[in-house]
Amino acid sequence: MRDVKGGLDPFNSTTGYTRSSFTSIGSFPNAKLLVHCVNAIESNDDTLSQQILWVLNNIAPPDGDSNQRLTCAFLRALIARAAKTGTCKLLPSMESAHCNLAIDTHKFSIIELASFVDLTPWHRFGYTAANAAILEAVEGYLVIHIVDLSLTHCMQIPTLIDAIANRFEVPPLIKLTVAGAIEDVPPLLDLSYEELGSKLVNFARSRNVIMEFRVIPSSYADGFSSFIEQLRVQHLVYAESGEALVINCHMMLHCIPEETLSGIHSTNSNAYSYESSSISSFRSMFLKSLRSLDPTLVVLVDEDADLTSNNLVCRLRSAFNYLWIPYDTVDTFLPRGSRQRQWYEADISWKIENVIAHEGMQRVERLEPKCRWIQRVRNANFRGISFAEDAISEVKTMLDEHAAGWGLKKEDDDIVLTWKGHNVVFASAWLPA
Amino acid sequence: MKREHSNLHPQRFTNPFSLAAGGYSLDSTSTGASTMTSNNGKAKAWEEAKGHQADGGMDELLAALGYKVRSSDMVEVAQKLEQLEEVMGHAQEDGLSHLASDSVHYNPSDLSTWLESMLSELNPNLHFDPSADSLLAPAESSTVTSIDFSDHKYHQQPKLLEKSTSSGYDLKVIPGKAACSQPQIDSRESKRLKTDLYQTSSSSSSPSTTLGSFMGSAESTRPVVLVDSQENGVRLVHLLMACAEAVQEDNFNQAEALVKQIGFLAVSQAGAMRKVATYFAEALARRIYKIFPQNSVDHSLSDILQIHFYETCPYLKFAHFTANQAILEAFEGKKRVHVIDFSMNQGMQWPALMQALALRPGGPPAFRLTGIGPPAHDNTDQLQEVGWKLAQLAETIHVEFEYRGFVANSLADLDASMLELRPPEVESVAVNSVFELHKLLAIPGAMKKVLSVVKQMKPEIVTVVEQEANHNGPVFLDRFTESLHYYSTLFDSLEGSVSTQDKVMSEVYLAKQICNVVACEGHGRVERHETLTQWRTRLVSAGFAPVHLGSNAFKQASMLLALFAGGDGYRVEENNGCLMLGWHTRPLITTSAWRVRNHHPADGAA
């Protein structure tokens, strides 16, 4: 079932990001036109921008095929960008011009969100792999402290509780600490974390598992430094007490600023500090502070793409090269016109707009490729561990429930979810070195 | 002296704004008190008013001239001009010093110098002596019309291509800004050249005194600058109207006296107001002195001016986007398509359409383009050059492309048989005309002929863009008033543009129209703009049926405007399936789409 080739292959994935390969993307004219549009907008060439926007408008209907909808989402993002920068001073008249740029991101109820993440392996892949790794690592502990840094609002936890209840005769005490991020990144939840927590506690009780739930208000803008600080100050982590500490990072760390957004030296946003390797980012600092907690296990799951470039054209190419996947897959699990599909695509649109139209701290979709994350975690003095055979077979079983295009790839210690052979999400497990 | 003023408008007397802000003597006297309640009273009151102001010596000039105006028109124009002036007043903090320093300049920037020289080289009569006599005897200069503009164009060609290829972007193949930066240098050279040729025929070696020549020397105009400019704004409109009326009555002595006064007053104004007044004064002067522009020689200049107009403001872009939208939709699913363009110019409309066709779902059609344009005065084949560039674009974006350029003095010379049309089931035809059809109204029978030729083309769609105004009424004064309104609004909208160079060029582009509307008659008067209502009647009775431009076209036009127009004064509005672009409340251009009524099977037999 793996490595099904074909479908959209907008860029030759082997070409890298050099200027020369860039001109060869003519095979994918929509992307090429988007790039032209970016160049026109960035150089304030209003006439050309208008012409290309007109063309794009006509070739990318919002209700077209997956390729057209993808282009449409990028187009909207470009319009949003043009509306904020360049010569446009006219956001109010944009609204009067019936071009509502606001993306209608849905606020999910818990049930909706749970069934939503079940539709596709996008999140389930990481859940399954992480839960298997966690179960193995916490064997024998009476108290398990799970720090859940996840964008999907603890949707992973019920399955984990279930597995713990089934696996251990005397279930351990579970302490669940979540980062109540103040920023709104989709998917959005329609209830508070306190309410969510009590539901989770009730669910655990129904499985005869005792669970404590705690929310620590935090922000990824500062690399969760206040979050880590609170863990220490409130003495929530006892490295020597025989309590297992699991840090579960599910697609949230890419929101932490990295080097291209030098928050540490933020007085001049243009002074990107690549020149000195001694200057570290919030991202690396966060991993180092995690290491200082001496956790039993760190699981890192994230999307495998590079959306960090400060060059908008590079970012657009990269985003296009990655985000065609959710549009391509959606036909396999959601019918056209369904509300869930609207929610799903609105969330991708949000992501595209964030990557394309925003800059600075507002741009939180700062995905880094797997190789860079691995380097970072290693630099923070962790060592990677392999996923066990039954973890992998569980992931395979899960993938069998989904469309044929999904695949699993093992790369060194890590595993990678693929769609038609393209990397989608990676999962990795780490121990203090 | 006739004094019937059936058109006096009560508003003139009751509008407190014009009373207060204008401070004009006509208003400030007892007329305000005798506010008109009946039509009978108006004329009388008007006479009284004139008497008063004459008695009081408030405006001896006007009184002495005994001019009559249609104040209903004046009020609006005056208000418009006041608004313009206000806008400009804010923009230019150093208004007075600015005015003083260049008060005799015809145009508001130093660019005016070379621009004028360009114009005058093509129309040497423009360079006249301060005295009217020399204006009336321009014979010695009339032979000097051979400025080689095309030569410059020719030389700049390689650069255009170089730029377009190096930019790496397909749509850029047709020069936009690229074409514009070039002529500046060229024209400076040509100016020098021209001046040499010219010195014998014109005593005025300064190219900036076109208006100044009406008024005398620069020094003599300066005191006027110090007069309150708002008051002068209203007076200016009065003078323009009075002058037009004198022209209408063939009272050329009076008209001449008035047009000189307009020159005086115009320089005391700022911004758009001064420019509009100046251009209208120039046009009136041409009419008075019977010095008519020669349209036939300056197509290449027109093209360049049009490119700047395209860049400066959204009107032409709007025209292209909306027409293309209708064409694209009409071509949906067609395998071979053929656009017959009555307004080819630099072909600026087509790259976007070709790009959209190239990427349309289901693959691109074979695209055929027939571009029709006037002959170039130097026998260069400009239409071919444009076609060649479009062919390059077509190759880049993998569209099968076929092109023919047709040189025609008038669209009326065209026959369907020349176009080698294929049967409609093989090839779908769109006929496109942007700012062209109104010119046919100058030639008796031409419109009828062209519309019947269009029908023979069996088009899927006909797209028409026209100025939204009636500048073709039978009465000169009506045309004058209408166009004064119209171009005041247009110039107002231009004030927001960023590039001074583009703006000046656009103003010259429009000034040529003003000149044509006001100064020309008969076959020479080609800017015979008519309103959508008039076009609708004409086209419907010629057997065409309207095609609604979709809401998609409206949304897109609105969006593109909002993004790039650079000012919130522009408005798109829908009018019975047609789209209008205007400035504030005034629609200025209209795009409409048509099909042949009995061509469409859905329509049944007709």
Side-chain angles (χ1 to χ4, degrees):
Chain A
M1 99 161 48
R2 47 166 304 195
D3 285 4
V4 182
K5 283 281 178 189
L8 285 165
D9 189 3
F11 308 104
N12 181 347
S13 53
T14 62
T15 49
Y17 301 117
T18 60
R19 206 102 188 112
S20 59
S21 73
F22 191 61
T23 52
S24 71
I25 61 171
S27 58
F28 206 75
N30 287 3
K32 192 180 174 189
L33 206 55
L34 285 168
V35 166
H36 287 320
C37 194
V38 168
N39 286 329
I41 290 173
E42 294 299 284
S43 59
N44 283 325
D45 187 339
D46 287 0
T47 301
L48 191 56
S49 306
Q50 271 174 295
Q51 288 195 352
I52 305 175
L53 286 174
W54 180 81
V55 174
L56 283 168
N57 248 316
N58 282 294
I59 60 164
D63 53 355
D65 62 27
S66 59
N67 180 18
Q68 290 170 331
R69 298 196 310 279
L70 170 71
T71 308
C72 181
F74 275 91
L75 171 61
R76 287 175 66 123
L78 284 177
I79 292 171
R81 184 181 179 90
K84 292 197 302 184
T85 59
T87 56
C88 179
K89 309 131 192 156
L90 292 168
L91 281 174
S93 69
M94 287 291 285
E95 272 159 42
S96 66
H98 312 276
C99 335
N100 187 10
L101 285 170
I103 293 165
D104 194 14
T105 44
H106 179 64
K107 281 203 162 189
F108 290 90
S109 74
I110 261 198
I111 303 293
E112 281 170 352
L113 187 59
S115 57
F116 192 70
V117 297
D118 262 356
L119 288 170
T120 155
W122 202 278
H123 292 290
R124 288 190 77 196
F125 166 78
Y127 293 172
T128 312
N131 284 351
I134 293 168
L135 278 179
E136 197 180 303
V138 300
E139 184 88 50
Y141 285 90
L142 295 176
V143 181
I144 306 168
H145 187 182
I146 299 165
V147 174
D148 191 24
L149 300 174
S150 163
L151 275 186
T152 47
H153 312 294
C154 304
M155 285 300 125
Q156 180 184 337
I157 303 301
T159 338
L160 181 62
I161 293 169
D162 223 23
I164 287 172
N166 292 335
R167 181 155 173 150
F168 304 108
E169 224 164 274
V170 180
L173 169 70
I174 297 179
K175 297 190 326 196
L176 180 63
T177 303
V178 302
I182 47 172
E183 297 91 349
D184 279 342
V185 175
L188 306 178
L189 199 59
D190 74 346
L191 75 171
S192 72
Y193 266 27
E194 285 71 23
E195 294 168 293
L196 173 67
S198 74
K199 283 179 194 293
L200 285 170
V201 168
N202 287 338
F203 175 80
R205 194 180 298 131
S206 76
R207 297 293 188 274
N208 292 316
V209 174
I210 297 169
M211 191 172 95
E212 293 171 7
F213 181 85
R214 187 175 287 104
V215 187
I216 299 178
S218 58
S219 164
Y220 31 72
D222 66 352
F224 292 106
S225 59
S226 64
F227 180 79
I228 305 274
E229 185 66 17
Q230 284 301 309
L231 284 179
R232 290 184 199 285
V233 168
Q234 299 186 31
H235 301 287
L236 302 174
V237 179
Y238 309 92
E240 62 289 341
S241 68
E243 170 179 310
L245 175 63
V246 174
I247 314 285
N248 185 60
C249 306
H250 187 91
M251 303 194 187
M252 193 183 247
L253 299 196
H254 68 247
C255 296
I256 300 175
E258 30 64 65
E259 286 80 357
T260 59
L261 176 66
S262 183
I264 305 160
H265 310 273
S266 62
T267 45
N268 180 356
S269 61
N270 284 326
Y272 299 112
S273 43
Y274 271 133
E275 73 279 3
S276 165
S277 56
S278 66
I279 298 169
S280 82
S281 66
F282 278 125
R283 213 165 270 198
S284 295
M285 277 165 45
F286 168 76
L287 291 170
K288 288 204 170 77
S289 58
L290 274 193
R291 177 64 185 81
S292 70
L293 297 175
D294 203 18
T296 315
L297 176 72
V298 173
V299 181
L300 173 59
V301 174
D302 218 316
E303 294 161 329
D304 191 10
D306 185 357
L307 303 181
T308 56
S309 174
N310 277 318
N311 179 321
L312 179 62
V313 170
C314 288
R315 220 158 67 224
L316 181 133
R317 284 187 69 235
S318 205
F320 200 94
N321 201 18
Y322 180 68
L323 291 168
W324 64 273
I325 298 172
Y327 281 95
D328 196 39
T329 61
V330 69
D331 284 328
T332 66
F333 59 83
L334 283 171
R336 279 195 170 212
S338 77
R339 276 171 67 220
Q340 281 183 309
R341 180 152 162 165
Q342 285 167 20
W343 302 340
Y344 175 87
E345 293 194 352
D347 283 1
I348 313 169
S349 296
W350 184 93
K351 196 172 242 192
I352 291 171
E353 182 175 327
N354 191 269
V355 173
I356 301 301
H358 294 279
E359 293 295 349
M361 295 298 285
Q362 275 190 301
R363 182 152 61 78
V364 298
E365 289 293 328
R366 296 172 171 267
L367 303 181
E368 279 188 309
K370 182 180 75 125
C371 55
R372 215 181 290 163
W373 276 113
I374 284 172
Q375 202 53 52
R376 283 186 192 281
V377 187
R378 282 192 185 140
N379 288 348
N381 208 19
F382 286 98
R383 63 180 172 89
I385 54 165
S386 293
F387 287 91
E389 273 311 311
D390 46 336
I392 289 172
S393 72
E394 259 189 76
V395 171
K396 281 181 175 163
T397 311
M398 182 274 297
L399 290 182
D400 283 339
E401 297 171 26
H402 296 280
W406 297 104
L408 174 68
K409 196 160 73 173
K410 216 170 168 309
E411 285 183 359
D412 303 323
D413 291 333
D414 324 304
I415 54 175
V416 180
L417 173 71
T418 61
W419 172 255
K420 296 180 178 176
H422 298 266
N423 287 16
V424 179
V425 175
F426 69 89
S428 60
W430 302 87
L431 301 178
Chain B
M1 202 173 296
K2 285 189 248 172
R3 292 283 172 106
E4 309 120 24
H5 289 281
S6 54
N7 282 327
L8 286 182
H9 199 289
Q11 194 191 351
R12 180 59 181 153
F13 302 96
T14 54
N15 185 326
F17 178 74
S18 70
L19 283 172
Y24 182 48
S25 56
L26 268 178
D27 300 311
S28 57
T29 55
S30 64
T31 49
S34 58
T35 302
M36 297 308 106
T37 50
S38 74
N39 281 326
N40 289 342
K42 281 183 205 161
K44 204 174 164 218
W46 179 251
E47 302 226 26
E48 280 170 13
K50 290 185 88 102
H52 273 285
Q53 51 103 21
D55 292 344
M58 299 289 279
D59 200 316
E60 52 277 76
L61 168 72
L62 289 175
L65 292 165
Y67 78 101
K68 54 178 199 171
V69 286
R70 293 161 44 137
S71 49
S72 62
D73 298 322
M74 281 191 348
V75 172
E76 283 180 60
V77 178
Q79 284 173 350
K80 170 63 72 187
L81 289 177
E82 278 164 21
Q83 285 168 13
L84 298 189
E85 179 202 12
E86 230 170 290
V87 170
M88 284 313 291
H90 293 309
Q92 297 173 251
E93 323 243 340
D94 58 339
L96 278 184
S97 61
H98 167 87
L99 289 174
S101 64
D102 68 356
S103 57
V104 291
H105 280 213
Y106 182 83
N107 278 317
S109 89
D110 47 5
L111 288 166
S112 62
T113 310
W114 66 265
L115 258 175
E116 261 185 22
S117 72
M118 281 167 71
L119 281 172
S120 53
E121 279 147 11
L122 294 162
N123 304 299
N125 299 342
L126 227 155
H127 262 275
F128 31 65
D129 263 3
S131 77
D133 287 346
S134 74
L135 285 172
L136 295 168
E140 68 271 40
S141 61
S142 64
T143 50
V144 195
T145 57
S146 61
I147 182 62
D148 256 346
F149 212 88
S150 58
D151 246 13
H152 302 298
K153 267 181 60 59
Y154 193 75
H155 291 314
Q156 83 197 41
Q157 213 62 44
K159 283 190 179 161
L160 293 179
L161 289 173
E162 195 184 327
K163 170 145 186 175
S164 62
T165 46
S166 65
S167 80
Y169 183 54
D170 313 320
L171 289 185
K172 210 57 181 180
V173 169
I174 296 305
K177 282 175 177 149
C180 314
S181 50
Q182 205 56 29
Q184 186 171 357
I185 300 149
D186 294 337
S187 62
R188 281 189 195 283
E189 276 171 23
S190 59
K191 181 184 84 185
R192 206 166 48 231
L193 180 79
K194 196 79 268 171
T195 314
D196 293 342
L197 286 174
Y198 217 72
Q199 265 158 357
T200 51
S201 62
S202 169
S203 62
S204 164
S205 58
S206 160
S208 65
T209 51
T210 308
L211 178 65
S213 58
F214 293 122
M215 310 179 297
S217 70
E219 287 70 30
S220 71
T221 67
R222 288 221 169 108
V224 182
V225 171
L226 302 173
V227 178
D228 174 70
S229 67
Q230 281 195 325
E231 180 180 333
N232 286 335
V234 180
R235 287 180 57 171
L236 196 51
V237 178
H238 283 223
L239 279 170
L240 280 164
M241 297 304 303
C243 183
E245 218 168 297
V247 166
Q248 164 107 348
E249 290 169 357
D250 292 333
N251 189 346
F252 287 106
N253 287 337
Q254 184 181 323
E256 188 182 343
L258 282 165
V259 86
K260 288 178 181 171
Q261 290 304 318
I262 294 170
F264 270 113
L265 270 178
V267 291
S268 75
Q269 298 301 310
M273 184 178 196
R274 172 162 59 150
K275 292 175 220 161
V276 172
T278 304
Y279 285 128
F280 272 90
E282 186 204 326
L284 283 169
R286 283 178 178 278
R287 195 179 175 100
I288 294 164
Y289 300 121
K290 300 189 167 48
I291 303 162
F292 302 117
Q294 298 166 11
N295 278 315
S296 54
V297 293
D298 58 356
H299 290 305
S300 53
L301 173 63
S302 295
D303 268 7
I304 283 159
L305 292 177
Q306 197 193 41
I307 289 170
H308 285 274
F309 183 66
Y310 181 89
E311 292 286 342
T312 312
C313 50
Y315 300 105
L316 265 175
K317 293 174 191 167
F318 170 88
H320 292 173
F321 288 135
T322 48
N324 278 352
Q325 190 74 38
I327 294 168
L328 187 66
E329 281 164 22
F331 282 169
E332 198 174 328
K334 310 289 185 196
K335 295 276 171 275
R336 306 192 70 86
V337 301
H338 181 186
V339 170
I340 298 163
D341 187 10
F342 287 178
S343 41
M344 191 63 185
N345 300 312
Q346 291 291 318
M348 286 181 290
Q349 186 173 346
W350 306 117
L353 180 73
M354 289 164 73
Q355 189 67 261
L357 287 171
L359 296 174
R360 76 175 191 184
F367 181 61
R368 182 177 171 196
L369 181 62
T370 300
I372 298 157
H377 69 284
D378 61 335
N379 297 323
T380 56
D381 205 342
Q382 182 223 304
L383 280 174
Q384 255 353 91
E385 285 164 18
V386 172
W388 184 65
K389 281 179 267 177
L390 288 171
Q392 285 188 315
L393 167 64
E395 199 181 336
T396 323
I397 60 176
H398 310 294
V399 170
E400 189 186 327
F401 183 67
E402 193 181 336
Y403 177 82
R404 270 181 86 189
F406 257 98
V407 173
N409 277 308
S410 161
L411 293 173
D413 299 340
L414 209 64
D415 264 312
S417 58
M418 301 163 153
L419 300 174
E420 294 168 12
L421 294 163
R422 292 161 193 149
E425 50 289 1
V426 176
E427 189 173 76
S428 297
V429 169
V431 176
N432 179 68
S433 169
V434 177
F435 300 148
E436 286 294 333
L437 286 188
H438 60 254
K439 296 178 186 164
L440 295 168
L441 298 169
I443 313 162
M447 179 67 69
K448 192 166 176 253
K449 195 215 160 185
V450 168
L451 291 181
S452 109
V453 169
V454 168
K455 280 196 281 187
Q456 289 165 37
M457 297 171 185
K458 299 191 170 55
E460 204 71 38
I461 194 143
V462 180
T463 44
V464 177
V465 181
E466 283 292 331
Q467 285 89 344
E468 186 58 29
N470 183 1
H471 297 155
N472 195 31
V475 180
F476 167 74
L477 195 57
D478 293 343
R479 294 201 299 272
F480 183 86
T481 313
E482 269 278 326
S483 58
L484 187 55
H485 274 120
Y486 183 82
Y487 289 101
S488 296
T489 314
L490 254 180
F491 273 68
D492 188 16
S493 73
L494 289 181
E495 286 302 306
S497 59
V498 189
S499 153
T500 314
Q501 187 198 346
D502 276 343
K503 188 165 87 175
V504 173
M505 295 286 260
S506 300
E507 284 158 1
V508 175
Y509 172 79
L510 296 172
K512 286 160 63 69
Q513 293 176 15
I514 292 173
C515 186
N516 192 272
V517 171
V518 173
C520 297
E521 279 304 344
H523 286 209
R525 183 161 62 80
V526 294
E527 298 295 343
R528 294 172 180 258
H529 314 145
E530 295 195 358
T531 60
L532 174 64
T533 313
Q534 291 169 295
W535 285 110
R536 188 182 285 133
T537 308
R538 176 176 293 119
L539 288 165
V540 166
S541 68
F544 291 88
V547 175
H548 271 239
L549 295 161
S551 63
N552 194 23
F554 175 73
K555 280 184 192 164
Q556 284 206 58
S558 306
M559 183 270 285
L560 291 171
L561 258 183
L563 273 178
F564 297 105
D568 59 359
Y570 292 104
R571 295 272 182 282
V572 182
E573 69 181 71
E574 200 249 314
N575 182 320
N576 291 311
C578 304
L579 290 180
M580 292 175 163
L581 174 59
W583 177 247
H584 293 291
T585 56
R586 168 76 204 247
L588 292 171
I589 70 166
T590 301
T591 306
S592 57
W594 306 86
R595 60 181 171 80
V596 180
R597 206 182 303 135
N598 52 11
H599 167 56
H600 223 267
D603 221 46

